[in-house]
Amino acid sequence: MSGLSTHVLDAVTGSPASGLEVALQDASGTELASAVTDADGRIGAVTTDTLEPGIYHLVFDTGNWFADNDIDGFYPEVDICFEIADPESHHHVPLLLSPFAYSTYRGS
């Protein structure tokens, strides 16, 4: 199964970060797609397009999400740069978010 998905969790409360806008960009910064996390903090398909091998960015609009949730945060956005080598593979890029730290990993 190919594709690109993400899941954002509020690491402070242990809750899904719902309503967070995420943009997919290519290496030049051109926006290819955007979506908003659902009630479970997930975007099951950031894009329906097949992503060719290359460098991509998922840009999480954390500043607006923090503001919407009355949280003073340090990071106005989180930009996760990653590389797709096999376009036939599924790529899952999760984000664990708190006001003053974040973490990511390649999920499954």
Side-chain angles (χ1 to χ4, degrees):
M1 171 171 115
S2 64
L4 175 64
S5 60
T6 188
H7 185 200
V8 186
L9 288 175
D10 177 342
V12 173
T13 64
S15 304
S18 63
L20 196 154
E21 186 171 340
V22 181
L24 173 65
Q25 299 176 352
D26 65 14
S28 71
T30 300
E31 186 172 302
L32 304 174
S34 66
V36 176
T37 57
D38 65 14
D40 195 34
R42 296 180 184 275
I43 300 173
V46 176
T47 181
T48 57
D49 295 336
T50 299
L51 297 174
E52 297 300 319
I55 304 292
Y56 294 90
H57 296 258
L58 277 179
V59 181
F60 298 80
D61 185 3
T62 53
N64 280 327
W65 186 84
F66 285 138
D68 290 346
N69 289 280
D70 296 319
I71 300 169
D72 291 327
F74 183 69
Y75 299 103
E77 71 178 24
V78 172
D79 181 342
I80 300 174
C81 182
F82 60 98
E83 183 172 9
I84 290 181
D86 179 4
E88 299 302 315
S89 293
H90 180 77
H91 294 80
H92 183 67
V93 182
L95 176 65
L96 299 173
L97 181 63
S98 71
F100 302 103
Y102 63 88
S103 179
T104 186
Y105 55 94
R106 180 175 179 175
S108 58

